[in-house]
Each structure stands twice: as structure tokens, then as C-alpha cells.
């Protein structure tokens, strides 16, 4: 990998969480003003339920939106206080390589280890995950999952080619020949099939299926989540503020993590993404 891991002090780590908290608040404000649905999700929802705020060692915040709401949010993202944050995806930053959006904290730097050569804007961030419909039959879901895996690897190849050796490096070199525009066109084609009114299950397309990311759920459930999880919402206390989350939190968190109220062993309490350079 290009860079060496830098470790934040406990005070810096907490400051980063609070910078992210302001961004979630800005997103919440804009979404409330325009009646756009969102939910805190994954570790952020777990933090709200188990800690009434951040999981102490969690280095990010996760927001989910059904595809229609995500596209609506993009129309109003410019209304967020630009002194606090800005919206980033491949349409606002041509060098950005992922198929979901982020909010970046204005005036900060945060570079992940192994991504020093990527030219997109950096900074303390939170993830905004658009959820798209999946096929209703299991074979279709499995085919889509494999297709999404390949598309994800095409994007990641720009990172992987710098951080791998041997056959993997050769594979990534070949995948780098495929333009990223091809991937985003394929994602757009999937996205156009999504509707809040359909009964399909949903997933984050170019990301490992949530249903097998931490826990291997039964094969008929692992590739998508019930859409009702993201339509039926409740407000949760989070660091003294109120954000929308999945109302059926127990069903979701059990599906995602299984015994979610039990703390992991101390040696597993670590941040998701090592950082090589930061400034905030």
C-alpha cells in the first residue's frame, strides 16, 4: 500500500465523529424541509439503539435512501450549508469511484490507506446509500449479485492495481481498461427499474450484500431487504439529536448482526478504514 497508517488520538477520533454529526444534521434538515425519506442504518442505527449515539469505535455514519428519495435528495443537496458539507458522487466529482454518494466535511482532509493516488476530493465523510430493487426470483437475484460484484471490481481496480501483486494485479490491470462510465451506465439501468411502490426487496447495488456481510442469512433473504424497513420509520435519539431510523430496528439489526446488543471482543473494536493522512 502507498501510505502508512496514522492513528487518531481519542480526542481527534471524537472530534471526527462530531464533524460527521453536523453533516447528518444538515442532511436531516434538508430532508425534513422537502419531505424526503432517509434512515440512519447499519452501525449508526445500532449505535442509536445500543449507545444512544455513536458506537465509540465507529469511524463513519451510514444513511440509506430508497432510490427515488436518493434522486430527490440530490436535487436539493446544494441547500445544505456549504460551510459544513457538500454532496459528492460521480456526477459532482468525475474522479469519484463509488456507486453511492457521500457528504464531505468542508475544509477537511481524510485519505484512506491505499487510496492516496485517487484524485477525487477527500475529507471527513458520511455515506449515503441508495437502495435499488432486486429481481423477485432467486436465480435473478444471484445473477444480479454476481454482476454487481464484477461492476464493483471494475471500479475498485483503480485502487486494487496499486495495492496488489501477481495475478490479482494483472486482473486489475485488465479491468482498468474498462471505463468507469460503462459501470455507471449499468447502475443507472438498474436504478431506472426501482420504484418506491413496488414490492421488491432492495439492496445497495455495488456493495457486498448486507445479508451476508456480517451474518450469512438464508439464501432467499440474503440478497435484499424488505422495502418496508425503509418506508416505516421512527425517530431515534442520537448524540442528543433526533434522526429518522428504521422502525423495525430489532428485525433489521438481527438480520444484519444477529446478537446485536452484545459488545464484540475488545480486539474487534476497530475503525473500518485505516487512514494515511488527515486534517481537521
Amino acid at each position: 500500500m502507498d501510505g502508512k497508517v496514522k492513528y487518531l488520538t481519542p480526542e481527534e477520533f471524537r472530534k471526527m465523529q462530531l464533524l460527521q454529526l453536523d453533516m447528518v444534521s444538515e442532511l436531516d434538515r434538508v430532508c425534513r424541509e422537502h419531505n424526503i425519506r432517509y434512515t440512519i442504518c447499519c452501525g449508526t442505527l445500532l449505535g442509536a439503539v445500543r449507545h444512544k449515539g455513536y458506537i465509540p469505535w465507529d469511524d463513519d455514519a451510514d444513511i440509506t435512501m430508497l432510490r427515488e428519495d436518493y434522486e430527490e435528495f440530490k436535487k436539493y443537496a446544494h441547500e445544505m450549508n456549504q460551510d459544513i458539507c457538500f454532496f459528492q458522487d460521480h456526477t459532482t466529482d468525475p474522479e469519484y469511484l463509488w456507486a453511492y454518494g457521500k457528504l464531505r466535511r468542508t475544509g477537511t482532509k481524510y485519505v484512506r490507506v491505499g487510496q492516496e493516488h485517487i484524485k477525487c476530493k477527500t475529507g471527513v465523510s458520511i455515506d449515503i446509500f441508495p437502495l435499488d430493487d432486486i429481481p423477485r426470483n432467486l436465480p435473478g437475484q444471484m445473477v444480479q449479485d454476481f454482476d454487481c460484484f464484477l461492476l464493483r471490481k471494475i471500479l475498485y481496480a483503480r485502487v486494487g492495481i496499486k495495492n496488489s501483486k501477481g495475478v490479482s494485479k494483472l486482473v486489475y490491470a485488465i479491468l482498468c481498461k474498462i471505463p468507469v462510465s460503462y459501470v455507471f451506465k449499468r447502475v443507472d439501468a438498474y436504478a431506472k427499474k426501482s420504484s418506491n411502490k413496488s414490492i421488491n426487496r432492495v439492496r445497495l447495488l455495488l456493495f457486498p450484500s448486507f445479508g451476508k456481510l456480517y451474518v450469512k442469512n438464508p439464501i432467499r433473504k440474503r440478497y435484499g431487504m424488505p422495502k418496508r424497513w425503509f418506508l416505516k420509520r421512527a425517530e431515534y435519539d442520537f448524540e442528543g439529536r433526533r434522526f429518522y431510523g428504521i422502525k423495525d430496528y430489532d428485525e433489521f439489526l438481527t438480520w444484519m448482526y444477529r446478537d446485536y446488543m452484545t459488545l464484540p471482543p475488545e480486539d474487534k473494536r476497530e475503525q473500518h478504514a485505516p487512514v494515511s493522512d488527515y486534517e481537521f
Side-chain angles (χ1 to χ4, degrees):
M1 292 186 177
D2 293 338
K4 294 182 179 180
V5 177
K6 289 186 176 180
Y7 296 95
L8 280 67
T9 66
E11 294 76 18
E12 289 173 328
F13 195 86
R14 181 57 177 166
K15 180 179 179 180
M16 180 179 68
Q17 290 182 330
L18 295 178
L19 290 173
Q20 294 172 348
L21 182 63
D22 286 342
M23 292 191 282
V24 179
S25 292
E26 273 300 286
L27 178 142
D28 172 77
R29 179 183 64 80
V30 170
C31 287
R32 287 178 190 265
E33 288 179 1
H34 295 285
N35 296 313
I36 298 169
R37 275 180 298 238
Y38 79 88
T39 56
I40 56 173
C41 193
C42 304
T44 309
L45 180 61
L46 175 57
V49 171
R50 196 171 66 192
H51 304 272
K52 300 297 182 184
Y54 277 101
I55 297 171
W57 55 90
D58 197 359
D59 62 352
D60 66 2
D62 302 312
I63 304 293
T64 49
M65 297 181 183
L66 295 176
R67 173 60 69 174
E68 288 185 35
D69 298 302
Y70 180 80
E71 296 299 331
E72 191 70 8
F73 172 73
K74 287 170 62 175
K75 296 177 184 177
Y76 297 101
H78 67 279
E79 295 185 8
M80 291 184 299
N81 186 339
Q82 299 298 299
D83 291 334
I84 295 176
C85 59
F86 59 91
F87 176 75
Q88 180 187 38
D89 72 353
H90 71 281
T91 66
T92 66
D93 185 346
E95 300 294 335
Y96 184 75
L97 290 175
W98 319 120
Y100 54 89
K102 290 181 181 288
L103 296 187
R104 294 280 189 186
R105 181 76 190 204
T106 304
T108 66
K109 179 193 294 185
Y110 197 84
V111 182
R112 292 187 174 186
V113 171
Q115 298 186 19
E116 294 80 6
H117 62 289
I118 302 299
K119 298 178 182 179
C120 71
K121 296 176 182 177
T122 71
V124 173
S125 67
I126 66 174
D127 295 326
I128 309 178
F129 297 143
L131 302 178
D132 288 293
D133 287 10
I134 65 172
R136 298 187 184 184
N137 61 81
L138 181 59
Q141 293 170 17
M142 297 175 72
V143 169
Q144 184 193 54
D145 187 62
F146 183 68
D147 186 35
C148 288
F149 166 79
L150 294 177
L151 294 174
R152 183 171 77 247
K153 288 301 181 181
I154 293 171
L155 294 181
Y156 181 75
R158 279 74 185 169
V159 176
I161 194 172
K162 294 286 186 177
N163 303 312
S164 58
K165 299 178 180 179
V167 175
S168 294
K169 191 176 187 70
L170 176 61
V171 171
Y172 283 132
I174 295 171
L175 293 179
C176 278
K177 302 295 183 181
I178 303 173
V180 297
S181 59
Y182 166 79
V183 176
F184 292 126
K185 285 180 181 178
R186 293 287 304 280
V187 171
D188 287 344
Y190 276 128
K192 288 177 180 177
K193 299 177 182 179
S194 297
S195 168
N196 286 3
K197 296 179 181 179
S198 73
I199 62 172
N200 297 49
R201 296 168 73 87
V202 293
R203 66 168 290 167
L204 174 57
L205 290 175
L206 302 197
F207 203 85
S209 174
F210 285 177
K212 58 180 180 178
L213 187 59
Y214 298 107
V215 175
K216 270 202 171 183
N217 283 279
I219 193 166
R220 292 189 176 277
K221 294 184 178 181
R222 72 177 57 162
Y223 295 112
M225 300 168 281
K227 192 171 291 182
R228 59 179 167 79
W229 283 350
F230 308 96
L231 293 172
K232 297 179 180 180
R233 305 179 300 158
E235 286 188 297
Y236 291 86
D237 290 324
F238 191 92
E239 302 288 348
R241 308 185 194 187
R242 298 281 287 177
F243 300 133
Y244 280 109
I246 296 168
K247 184 176 182 179
D248 296 327
Y249 72 86
D250 180 68
E251 188 177 359
F252 171 79
L253 292 175
T254 299
W255 180 84
M256 187 84 174
Y257 303 111
R258 207 63 86 222
D259 184 15
Y260 61 87
M261 291 301 288
T262 300
L263 293 175
E266 289 193 15
D267 62 347
K268 299 294 184 182
R269 302 176 192 179
E270 55 189 18
Q271 64 186 77
H272 299 304
V275 60
S276 65
D277 195 14
Y278 63 91
E279 183 179 322
F280 47 79

